[in-house]
Amino acid sequence: MSFEGVLRFGRYAFPPNELGYCGPDDHDALLGYVVSNRADKGMVELGRRFEGAYPYLKLIAESNGYADPFDGRVVEAYWIGNSLLQGVDPSAFRNSLQERFRSRMRPDAMRWLAAKPGGGATPHHNFH
């Protein structure tokens, strides 16, 4: 597990998390990790509770042969973008979206969303 990568994740995730846009409500814990520049298994668990971001990190990692979703390159791909996004097959991205959102969306809205990967969308922060 990359503690450097999970810290990078925390640095990017804190601003939208503090505003209530994503992740768990534990803003103070996330800030504590980032400010102290230290990470442990607690930080990893906190990162895994980001229901929007973490599945994308897993998808990017698995698609590119990375074992660690918090590897620094995977985190960078999700938040900033890099070549790892091109390693995600559009059908794998579509399947991920369908698994996660089908039960929460109307069928017509799900069809619209599921078509996005085929049109070039990637599992990047600005997509979500």
Side-chain angles (χ1 to χ4, degrees):
M1 183 63 56
S2 170
F3 290 133
E4 181 180 320
V6 78
L7 274 172
R8 178 182 282 183
F9 175 82
R11 288 182 193 109
Y12 288 121
F14 178 73
N17 179 254
E18 182 183 38
L19 294 172
Y21 292 130
C22 67
D25 292 331
D26 203 351
H27 320 297
D28 292 334
L30 184 58
L31 181 61
Y33 281 114
V34 170
V35 169
S36 70
N37 200 36
R38 68 168 182 81
D40 57 21
K41 289 182 181 183
M43 174 68 184
V44 172
E45 288 305 314
L46 188 60
R48 288 178 178 156
R49 290 175 43 210
F50 278 74
E51 293 178 1
Y54 188 67
Y56 290 138
L57 294 173
K58 285 179 38 179
L59 178 63
I60 295 166
E62 290 169 2
S63 296
N64 288 280
Y66 286 73
D68 180 6
F70 289 113
D71 182 281
R73 294 265 306 145
V74 172
V75 170
E76 178 184 81
Y78 174 72
W79 286 104
I80 301 173
N82 65 29
S83 62
L84 295 184
L85 293 176
Q86 303 312 310
V88 179
D89 184 271
S91 63
F93 185 24
R94 183 188 65 246
N95 292 342
S96 173
L97 292 171
Q98 289 175 327
E99 288 171 18
R100 293 173 55 211
F101 298 109
R102 180 180 289 132
S103 66
R104 299 188 243 177
M105 298 178 75
R106 295 183 327 268
D108 59 323
M110 187 67 242
R111 280 190 299 280
W112 175 85
L113 182 65
K116 296 301 176 188
T122 59
H124 183 274
H125 176 68
N126 69 5
F127 176 80
H128 195 71

